[in-house]
Amino acid sequence: MYSGFLSLNKMVMDLITFIHSYVTIIPMDKKVVIDNGILQVTLSKPDGIVTGIRYNGIDNLLEVRNEEVNRGYWDVYWNEPGGPGIFDVIKGTSFKVILEDENQVEVSFTRTWDPSLKGTLIPLNIDKRFIVLRGSSGFYSYAIYEHLQGWPDFSLGETRIAFKLRKDKFHYMAISDDRQRIMPMPEDRDPPRGQPLAFKEAVRLINPINPDLQGEVDDKYEYSCENKDNKVHGWICFDPPVGFWQITPSDEFRTGGPHKQNLTSHVGPTTLAMFLSGHYSGEDLTPKFTKGEPWKKVFGPVFMYVNSYDNSGWAGTDPLALWEDAKLQMLIEVESWPYSFPISEDFPNSERRGSVSGRLLVKDRFLSEDYISADSAYVGLALPGAVGSWQRECKGYQFWIRADSDGFFSINDIRIGDYNLYAWVPGFIGDYRNDGTITITEGCDIDLGDLVYQPPRDGPTLWEIGVPDRSAAEFYVPDPNPIYVNKLYINHPDKFRQYGLWERYADLYPNGDLVYTVGVSDYQKDWFYAQVTRKKDDKSYQATTWQIKFTLDAVIQSGTYKLRLAIASATVSELLVRFNDPKANPPHFTTGLIGKDNSIARHGIHGLYWLFNIDVPSAVLVGGENTIFLTQARSVSPFQGIMYDYIRLEGAADPNSNKKKSSCLLF
């Protein structure tokens, strides 16, 4: 609606501002002020905490009631091996001006580690940078973390930038076109205005300051987002109309690949730039540094963008135009990546990077004798590792792209180094990894040609449940209990973000567990989105056993069938699989204890992906009706459970068939 008008007027306003304003820096005893005529950023010295942002007549966009250290800051959450977690707001001990001219100011706040700090500060040298450009309505920040060889071991649980905005100004939050709303005040979360629910992050609003929000649930995890979609989010102040936005132009420095979920903005009002966390993944995405290994990584730069009618080019009266303008600015930042202006050898510009291209094809002989284009495949480079290791990789950089409808892909601006090429294809189970190591050098342009992925397949599909897309979204997601509603997600495609859906399982299946009949049941209506525990009258929890009933006209004797079990999320779970005997001991298959995603409690629809390929001897099957029993055996809490992605039973090869003919069908 606004985009064409905004785009033209924005360019005009930016040009006028650029002509009239230089960037200046004013160093003081305890702080430094950077001003470009559009905004003024104040940082404590030498700590490097953002204590003030003056903009559009507002003396400070940050929460002035907070202590200065709790306004705009980098932080880490870490621990020594076997030790407790330590939260640390990163405070520099040395300040330096890296660049100062009329077009740009870049400043550095460093903290250097030494052995006397063992156990009190994370064993990293940290260099926090802030950049203000001429004519730019915002500022950039990035940081360089370095662990020298021989330094103590540690685990890094989380690192991010947090901004706490003024609660008397910023009341409207926007994450995407269909995820934005008036938010509660922070006081609404505290008793007696708020009622704590099953965990501290979730609160029911009993007597909120804004009565329109009464009865709703607030939980920061309801506003999580996958990395690939987490490009811009933030807040709007209506009087005067001002927006504050966090823009992340690249995912290369984030961990876990494009589908890793992270926090965005939430009640505070708070806005986060998340770089690394264990959310929706657990310890698998917590990097552990052992045996004194050296490590260096650059997080960012990210952009903190502020806008108003004056610099958005919008002359109307709708504050939501600021969201439209923020999206345009996000596209500008994405197109500008990698930035050319950071003054650090550790952040290479485009000329010091390389590119990889090729085409991915799929070969599944039971679907087609021809190659199948890997339509919309996710293709990426990550540190060398096992097949599928990219989703748990958390120390290096990753570079991802979507292939086109013909499977062609081109990944540009890759940092130099050694990588494997990974991929997964919507509609097919499993992961692809190119066998060879790909070495990126400055300016290289590597064409890999045609690559072929052969997904796991032993026989024809006898039946299937779901869609292989690494998500449980296609299954039945119930409406929430009416007392636990977030109105944003009523009639919303992300209804799985409602609080308390795990409790709805017992409401829907009060007298027994789920039974799914192949050919009769509909997975969109009859397969609950998560196999959760069941709460008993004594408030303990019990395991649940789901059944899949199916019919075989005949069983190929001495043959082996295959059950493909793709899991979208697991939380401290163990799945036991039995065929036609619910009491078989030991079970025919067990996953063992898997997963710490916590996606059920955190309103996700997936976490980390698991694929189990289970041999099914013909001796455990019968001609006629068969039943597979799926037992999630761990049952201490309501949040233990499994989300399925896709289940498929494949037929067995007939051992009496023509072996020569069979062999020629193999690729």
Side-chain angles (χ1 to χ4, degrees), residues 259-392:
H259 311 291
K260 171 70 171 70
Q261 298 166 89
N262 273 309
L263 295 172
T264 56
S265 292
H266 59 265
V267 167
T270 298
T271 288
L272 303 174
M274 299 294 302
F275 303 117
L276 181 154
S277 80
H279 298 144
Y280 304 93
S281 57
E283 295 178 0
D284 283 346
L285 268 171
T286 298
K288 298 171 179 60
F289 299 90
T290 60
K291 300 179 181 178
E293 66 178 289
W295 176 72
K296 179 186 279 192
K297 187 170 183 178
V298 177
F299 293 103
V302 295
F303 186 43
M304 276 55 70
Y305 178 61
V306 293
N307 61 356
S308 64
Y309 290 156
D310 291 341
N311 78 316
S312 71
W314 175 247
T317 58
D318 185 358
L320 298 186
L322 300 178
W323 164 248
E324 298 295 327
D325 173 70
K327 291 192 298 180
L328 289 174
Q329 187 64 42
M330 177 270 291
L331 295 175
I332 292 171
E333 301 300 323
V334 170
E335 288 297 315
S336 302
W337 188 270
Y339 297 132
S340 60
F341 51 80
I343 310 298
S344 171
E345 284 297 315
D346 294 308
F347 184 78
N349 60 25
S350 185
E351 293 179 355
R352 295 169 54 202
R353 298 177 177 228
S355 300
V356 169
S357 60
R359 179 172 63 160
L360 184 63
L361 301 168
V362 178
K363 189 61 178 177
D364 185 333
R365 65 189 175 97
F366 289 94
L367 294 182
S368 173
E369 290 296 326
D370 298 323
Y371 291 112
I372 303 168
S373 296
D375 184 1
S376 302
Y378 290 88
V379 185
L381 295 181
L383 289 182
V387 174
S389 61
W390 57 268
Q391 68 169 343
R392 292 173 170 82

Side-chain angles (χ1 to χ4, degrees), residues 530-541:
Q531 185 171 357
V532 294
T533 56
R534 181 187 294 276
K535 191 174 185 179
K536 297 162 59 176
D537 291 340
D538 63 2
K539 297 185 179 181
S540 64
Y541 297 89

Side-chain angles (χ1 to χ4, degrees), residues 603-631:
H603 327 296
I605 201 64
H606 71 83
L608 296 179
Y609 177 77
W610 304 76
L611 178 62
F612 297 96
N613 302 299
I614 304 168
D615 287 335
V616 186
S618 60
V620 302
L621 300 175
V622 297
E625 185 175 288
N626 293 263
T627 303
I628 297 175
F629 298 90
L630 302 173
T631 300

Side-chain angles (χ1 to χ4, degrees), residues 172-247:
Y172 191 90
M173 186 181 78
I175 298 170
S176 67
D177 286 339
D178 62 354
R179 298 176 70 192
Q180 46 185 271
R181 59 166 297 165
I182 295 288
M183 294 292 286
M185 299 292 285
E187 296 91 334
D188 294 337
R189 294 180 49 83
D190 299 328
R193 291 189 179 275
Q195 173 192 359
L197 296 176
F199 40 87
K200 66 180 181 179
E201 292 86 358
V203 171
R204 186 166 181 255
L205 307 176
I206 303 300
N207 183 29
I209 294 170
N210 182 347
D212 292 341
L213 306 180
Q214 185 175 10
E216 290 199 61
V217 170
D218 177 70
D219 181 350
K220 66 182 180 180
Y221 292 108
E222 292 180 324
Y223 304 106
S224 296
C225 190
E226 289 188 354
N227 283 343
K228 66 182 176 61
D229 302 317
N230 188 359
K231 299 295 185 187
V232 56
H233 59 88
W235 293 82
I236 292 174
C237 165
F238 290 127
D239 186 18
V242 166
F244 182 95
W245 311 100
Q246 196 281 302
I247 295 176

Side-chain angles (χ1 to χ4, degrees), residues 423-442:
W424 77 271
V425 186
F428 296 89
I429 60 173
D431 277 273
Y432 171 81
R433 185 198 64 174
N434 185 263
D435 289 337
T437 298
I438 298 173
T439 299
I440 300 297
T441 58
E442 289 189 12

